[in-house]
Amino acid sequence: MKDIRIAVIGHGFMGHEHEKMLKDFPGIRLMGFSDKDPKQLQDVAEGLKRYQSNEEIFEDPEVDVVLIAANNNQHHDLVIQAAKAGKNIICEKPAAMSLQELDEMVKAVGENGVKFTIHHQRRFDPDFRTAKEVYDSGTLGAVYAVKSQLYGFNGNMHDWHVFVSEGGGMLYDWGVHLLDQLCWMFPGAKIRSVFADLRNVINKEVDDYFQIMLRFDNDVTATVELGTYYLSDKTQDKWFERHWFVAGNKGSAYVDGFFPEGKVVRTTHLLTNVGGKRTMTAAGPTRSFGPAPEGTIVTEALPEIHTEHRNYFENYVRAYHGEEDFLVKIPEVRRVLRLMDAVRESARTSRSIDFE
Ligand SMILES: NC(=O)c1ccc[n+]([C@@H]2O[C@H](COP(=O)([O-])OP(=O)(O)OC[C@H]3O[C@@H](n4cnc5c(N)ncnc54)[C@H](O)[C@@H]3O)[C@@H](O)[C@H]2O)c1
């Protein structure tokens, strides 16, 4: 099968990540990069093209796919231009800054008969896949709560991410990944309602904190919390924290870190009414929060998960050749954008929003 020839627009942070990933990727030939800032092309690796403009990519008959890794506010126009040039497209997340933008992009893609998908490689994050595997295994019984949390400790929001006009803010940046993961975790489940708090804690223009509660019709309430400004004196290897918590009526699981550590903690039988022995703690006497009777709780290792971001492009290669579906489908992407609109509306009105 012929290699898929991919050229990338944007050689910034993500452009460099794509260069590392795709330089020697089976089934893919990385052609080169364009960037509106010529300085950004100076360190493009030997052997790759430095396109002088995006148009040069669109006109290059050797390019099969354009991968768009430019700022969020560029995705709409670049996708439409690439589609009109007959190029297949992978676009970085968030696909678009609004539903209207996405719909216009999809129209252009449809009119020109090109392939279009979005780079949501975080569906392969091992922490997420571990939490999903625990949920799917049924080992926790009827799951009622899932928490997905990400905290940064240094207050860092940088470059264009602090400007609304550029598509800045944490909802577009990380929120889209975290919501996409939760939607994908429960296939077929509808989201009945959304309640959210979305704040500019220190940034003038854009959100830098959010807490979002999604009530799914599979009886799970999922909470997503992200904070960029939880200042802390943690040491260098602890610039952030990532946590999952999954709770069911037979046990719970905690999954900590991107390469997770944690445990499944289960009961040997439902503990609806255990003898309320009085326990003295530093905070005073307790019965509800005392230790469980011996033998009623067991701990187990988390399942071992071996996913990685390159799996996204492995799927891309197979799907491009028609061997399977693209992992990331546009209706899923549209749903997450709608969800982000509901998040904003809930935060603005302080009300829960009916969703599906
Ligand atoms: N999937 C992920 O995990 C992930 C991670 C980080 C960023 N991203 C996404 O990647 C995209 C780029 O983010 P980044 O962090 O690399 O930003 P960045 O600022 O580091 O890089 C963007 C680059 O695009 C160039 N650019 C902007 N407009 C352009 C245009 N019209 N034509 C050509 N070049 C243009 C800029 O000069 C810059 O070099 C964003 O959409 C972002 O959301 C995705």
Side-chain angles (χ1 to χ4, degrees):
M1 216 124 35
K2 267 178 62 182
D3 281 354
I4 306 167
R5 298 164 300 180
I6 299 184
V8 183
I9 297 182
H11 195 236
F13 171 80
M14 210 51 209
H16 281 79
E17 292 296 306
H18 288 308
E19 186 171 344
K20 264 188 276 168
M21 176 72 79
L22 299 180
K23 214 150 51 76
D24 299 303
F25 202 93
I28 288 177
R29 186 164 139 221
L30 182 61
M31 301 296 289
F33 291 83
S34 66
D35 198 295
K36 68 169 190 196
D37 177 356
K39 283 200 303 296
Q40 295 288 78
L41 294 178
Q42 282 170 4
D43 65 343
V44 168
E46 281 293 306
L48 300 179
K49 288 191 192 172
R50 295 164 197 206
Y51 290 95
Q52 294 310 300
S53 66
N54 301 333
E55 287 66 33
E56 209 185 308
I57 291 186
F58 299 143
E59 285 161 14
D60 185 347
E62 298 211 326
V63 170
D64 303 310
V65 177
V66 179
L67 198 173
I68 296 167
N71 307 25
N72 297 344
N73 66 350
Q74 303 296 302
H75 295 182
H76 170 265
D77 289 4
L78 291 172
V79 165
I80 291 175
Q81 287 163 22
K84 286 186 172 161
K87 301 298 183 195
N88 299 301
I89 302 156
I90 306 172
C91 184
E92 267 304 339
K93 50 50 60 174
M97 305 221 321
S98 66
L99 281 173
Q100 189 189 332
E101 275 195 3
L102 182 69
D103 290 345
E104 288 168 7
M105 291 150 76
V106 170
K107 184 163 175 277
V109 161
E111 284 170 357
N112 292 282
V114 296
K115 304 182 210 297
F116 179 40
T117 188
I118 306 301
H119 187 231
H120 268 302
Q121 85 288 13
R122 289 200 173 279
R123 289 190 187 176
F124 292 104
D125 279 2
D127 62 307
F128 162 56
R129 282 302 186 94
T130 303
K132 179 166 164 51
E133 173 64 26
V134 171
Y135 173 81
D136 288 344
S137 72
T139 190
L140 304 181
V143 169
Y144 56 90
V146 172
K147 284 191 205 176
S148 162
Q149 300 162 307
L150 179 64
Y151 304 114
F153 299 126
N154 57 11
N156 245 355
M157 282 188 58
H158 52 88
D159 306 309
W160 56 266
H161 290 281
V162 299
F163 301 118
V164 166
S165 63
E166 304 269 334
M170 275 294 138
L171 191 60
Y172 279 138
D173 191 31
W174 264 97
V176 70
H177 281 304
L178 303 178
L179 292 173
D180 178 71
Q181 287 178 339
L182 278 171
C183 287
W184 199 64
M185 188 161 175
F186 312 121
K190 290 195 163 39
I191 298 168
R192 290 298 180 206
S193 61
V194 180
F195 183 74
D197 188 10
L198 181 66
R199 294 193 184 229
N200 310 6
V201 177
I202 56 165
N203 283 279
K204 287 203 186 72
E205 291 196 15
V206 295
D207 61 280
D208 48 18
Y209 171 85
F210 54 77
Q211 195 169 165
I212 302 167
M213 201 182 254
L214 307 175
R215 183 89 170 126
F216 284 86
D217 73 352
N218 61 1
D219 251 359
V220 173
T221 298
T223 315
V224 191
E225 188 183 37
L226 175 143
T228 54
Y229 203 61
Y230 278 18
L231 297 190
S232 149
D233 59 355
K234 308 236 173 192
T235 52
Q236 269 205 338
D237 58 342
K238 267 280 191 183
W239 287 116
F240 55 80
E241 269 182 22
R242 176 77 173 120
H243 302 289
W244 286 88
F245 183 69
V246 185
N249 64 1
K250 291 190 183 153
S252 49
Y254 56 95
V255 179
D256 297 331
F258 283 105
F259 300 96
E261 294 180 354
K263 284 272 185 294
V264 173
V265 184
R266 289 199 298 119
T267 55
T268 50
H269 56 274
L270 284 188
L271 302 178
T272 47
N273 192 357
V274 294
K277 251 172 58 188
R278 183 177 181 276
T279 304
M280 188 52 79
T281 70
T286 181
R287 288 188 295 175
S288 299
F289 295 102
E294 215 166 293
T296 53
I297 291 188
V298 290
T299 59
E300 292 164 353
L302 293 173
E304 276 193 36
I305 294 292
H306 300 285
T307 54
E308 48 185 345
H309 289 172
R310 63 181 291 110
N311 300 147
Y312 174 88
F313 284 103
E314 288 164 354
N315 161 262
Y316 189 84
V317 171
R318 291 190 298 267
Y320 186 91
H321 294 299
E323 291 166 11
E324 58 190 64
D325 289 343
F326 286 113
L327 178 79
V328 181
K329 298 172 184 62
I330 298 304
E332 297 167 346
V333 169
R334 194 175 193 283
R335 183 182 187 219
V336 172
L337 280 186
R338 269 185 61 222
L339 199 50
M340 286 158 69
D341 280 348
V343 164
R344 292 189 193 93
E345 190 186 342
S346 172
R348 189 172 48 77
T349 58
S350 307
R351 286 183 181 280
S352 162
I353 307 299
D354 290 343
F355 191 66
E356 290 168 332

